[in-house]
Structure formats: structure tokens, C-alpha cells
Amino acid sequence: GSHGLQIARNTIHDWGRVSNNAALYLRDAQKVAVHHNVVRNNAGAGVVLWNATATLLEHNTFRHNLQDDTGNGYAAELVALQGSDNRARNNIVVPRDGRGVQAAIPQAFRGAPLEAAYNGYVLGTDGFLVEDLDQGLRFGFEAWQQAYGGDTGSLVVDDPGFVSDTDLHLRSSAGRWGGAAGWVLDADHSPFLDRGDPDADASQEPF
């Protein structure tokens, strides 16, 4: 396992299927921070936490992973299996076919492997999957909220408001940085703008 690492400011995209069926696979990780990454169009899951402890997923965008749907990979973009004290906040999750977030509670008394809050989802009813050996499989945002810290402040929408399929900046009618184009004023405004945790540190936010 990894301890105390930071995985930050990467774009991970268009990988074929790898041995662990995930673009980011964190097994037995402790106090790892995964932040400000774009993970898109990979064959496996976007990120898998397996028996991780005190790991933070923050300010990441997971979009259209699970490209190689052979039936032997994970069932969602963001997967947490076992573990404890892991947090996911201020992430955007946009799956290819509606399978967004999945977590497993081996036994209810052990608590949840993931506490979620202030995330943005483009998911249908089946996009939230809770595997609980005490209560069986449960689907839907309400079941997810009950199991994983409420997921307070999060939003479920139909359109995330990306600039394009490959430019995953959020559209902004107030203006966004467009690289060589300078500041760009869009005709509409992404519903995910200004929806993050108000107490989060924004000083590391890239353009």
C-alpha cells in the first residue's frame, strides 16, 4: 500500500484495460490525497479504493471510463471497497452508461468505507450502488446518502456543462480561462459551478 502520497494535476485518459481494471487503483492506501485530476475514457473504473484508510478524493473529474465493458471490471467510475475514514468531496462523476459510484459495506457495524459530500453527478437511479452484506444491494441517491455520510451539498443533474467532450472545464457565463483564447464568456452556466464545499481550500485550484 501507499502512505502519504499526493496524486495531483494529472490527466489520465484513453488507457486500455490494465491488470487491476482501474485508471487509479489504491489498495491498502493510507492518507493518500488524490486531487485536481481529470480521469477520462479509460477501460477500467476511474478510481478504486480497496481497503484504503484516510484517503481523500477531491476536485477530480471522472468521465466516461469503463470503456471496455467485458464484465470482469468494476461496476462504476468511483469504487470504494471496505476501508474506513475515506472522503470524496468536490468531485464530478459522469459515467458512460449510468454506472457512477459503488461502495461495499462488508458488515454494518464496521461503518462506511467512504464519506461523500459536495459532489456533482450525472447519474440515473442505478448510478448509485450500495453493497451491504447485511441489507443486500440498494440503488438510488437516497440509499447512497443514508449509507455514506449524507452526501450533503451534492447535486445530480442531466448535463454537467463541460466545454466539450475533451475540454472538461465548466462553462461559465461569468467567464473562464480558455488558454490561448484568454478569458471566455459562455452563453450558459454549468450547474456545478460554485457548488463545492465552502470550507474547502481553493488556493490550489488550477486555471
Side-chain angles (χ1 to χ4, degrees):
S2 302
H3 188 284
L5 293 177
Q6 289 199 47
I7 302 172
R9 299 175 183 270
N10 300 289
T11 298
I12 303 171
H13 65 95
D14 296 296
W15 281 89
R17 182 166 293 280
V18 294
S19 59
N20 291 317
N21 295 326
L24 290 169
Y25 183 80
L26 302 175
R27 181 163 186 166
D28 300 323
Q30 298 182 41
K31 297 182 179 179
V32 173
V34 180
H35 61 91
H36 297 100
N37 299 287
V38 174
V39 184
R40 62 174 175 85
N41 299 90
N42 297 290
V47 61
V48 172
L49 305 182
W50 185 292
N51 199 36
T53 303
T55 289
L56 174 65
L57 304 176
E58 183 176 45
H59 302 299
N60 302 291
T61 298
F62 302 99
R63 180 186 184 272
H64 286 199
N65 295 291
L66 300 162
Q67 291 288 331
D68 182 9
D69 191 4
T70 60
N72 36 350
Y74 295 101
E77 292 273 341
L78 190 161
V79 181
L81 304 175
Q82 304 183 44
S84 62
D85 300 322
N86 301 299
R87 292 179 295 154
R89 66 178 184 179
N90 300 343
N91 301 288
I92 296 175
V93 180
V94 184
R96 176 173 58 96
D97 58 0
R99 297 176 300 176
V101 284
Q102 171 191 1
I105 307 175
Q107 295 171 320
F109 69 84
R110 294 187 60 182
L114 185 72
E115 179 181 331
Y118 293 100
N119 297 294
Y121 303 106
V122 181
L123 300 174
T125 300
D126 292 346
F128 298 90
L129 170 58
V130 178
E131 294 182 275
D132 189 329
L133 296 189
D134 291 328
Q135 300 185 43
L137 295 179
R138 290 176 285 159
F139 294 90
F141 191 42
E142 183 177 349
W144 177 263
Q145 287 179 306
Q146 290 172 353
Y148 303 119
D151 213 342
T152 56
S154 292
L155 186 66
V156 182
V157 302
D158 294 326
D159 181 358
F162 293 139
V163 172
S164 70
D165 287 342
T166 55
D167 184 348
L168 303 189
H169 287 91
L170 298 176
R171 297 193 302 268
S172 173
S173 57
R176 60 173 172 81
W177 183 246
W183 288 101
V184 177
L185 296 179
D186 295 303
D188 59 352
H189 206 67
S190 166
F192 290 148
L193 285 176
D194 301 321
R195 293 287 305 194
D197 184 348
D199 295 325
D201 180 8
S203 65
Q204 301 297 313
E205 192 69 22
F207 285 119

